[in-house]
Amino acid sequence: MDRAQKREFVDQLAAVFAETSMIVITRNDGLTVADVTELRRRMRAAGAQYKVAKNRLAHLALEGTRFDGIAPLLKGPTALAWSRDPVAVAKTAVEFAKTNEKFVLVGGALGTQMLDASGVKALAELPSLDALRARLVGLIQAPATRIACVVQAPAGQLARVFAAFAKTGEAA
């Protein structure tokens, strides 16, 4: 890359750091092209991005951002993954690390909170944003269905009592 391309790459990466909420740093020593392609496909499906970046350029892009605390983690053959949904990127990276031993989680950052590899794994165990929304809607709907059942129950009981009286009246 020439200087103009490097400057453009640093600007793009700085823009990503400004708008994202979660960054995961990985070490990808010895991944094949097929492995990286599969990882990128999984990341895209989860709404995340995965990019191999030169450490020096990543350091320049990190300066002055809320993620500047992850700069010491950028040593060796590293790559960055990011997403607006913090659970999605962590979950995808952890799942891929389980199936490929050459892919190692180094750490990451959630906003200004720096995470080590175990912190990223703990974040991956949380339900996704969509799952949390579904649970919330379920909790909101549950009382309404319970109220409807309670309101209908006395009417159903009265109908059964009237039916029983009608049967005894017919028998007599």
Side-chain angles (χ1 to χ4, degrees):
M1 279 201 265
D2 64 351
R3 283 183 182 259
Q5 290 174 324
K6 288 179 181 178
R7 225 176 276 122
E8 182 181 331
F9 181 77
V10 168
D11 291 341
Q12 288 174 350
L13 209 53
V16 164
F17 294 150
E19 67 184 31
T20 190
S21 65
M22 173 73 176
I23 295 179
V24 175
I25 299 173
T26 63
R27 186 159 287 118
N28 56 352
D29 195 18
L31 286 178
T32 64
V33 173
D35 291 337
V36 173
T37 303
E38 175 64 18
L39 175 61
R40 283 193 172 120
R41 186 190 62 74
R42 288 185 189 182
M43 288 283 183
R44 254 184 267 118
Q49 296 290 321
Y50 176 80
K51 186 93 171 156
V52 176
K54 289 189 175 198
N55 292 337
R56 180 68 187 131
L57 297 179
H59 279 280
L60 291 173
L62 282 170
E63 288 178 6
T65 67
R66 60 183 171 196
F67 298 114
D68 60 358
I70 62 172
L73 300 176
L74 296 172
K75 290 188 169 95
T78 57
L80 304 170
W82 62 86
S83 174
R84 289 182 186 217
D85 182 7
V87 176
V89 69
K91 196 172 283 206
T92 306
V94 168
E95 286 174 3
F96 191 79
K98 287 178 183 176
T99 61
N100 195 323
E101 58 215 26
K102 293 180 181 179
F103 184 77
V104 179
L105 294 172
V106 176
L110 178 61
T112 57
Q113 179 69 39
M114 299 305 127
L115 304 170
D116 58 353
S118 62
V120 173
K121 288 177 184 176
L123 188 63
E125 293 174 3
L126 293 175
S128 69
L129 189 58
D130 290 336
L132 288 174
R133 286 179 181 153
R135 282 187 186 176
L136 184 61
V137 168
L139 289 173
I140 291 171
Q141 285 181 338
T145 57
R146 287 186 184 148
I147 289 171
C149 289
V150 167
V151 169
Q152 289 176 349
Q157 289 174 349
L158 281 174
R160 284 190 288 279
V161 168
F162 291 144
F165 277 125
K167 285 182 185 176
T168 57
E170 290 174 5

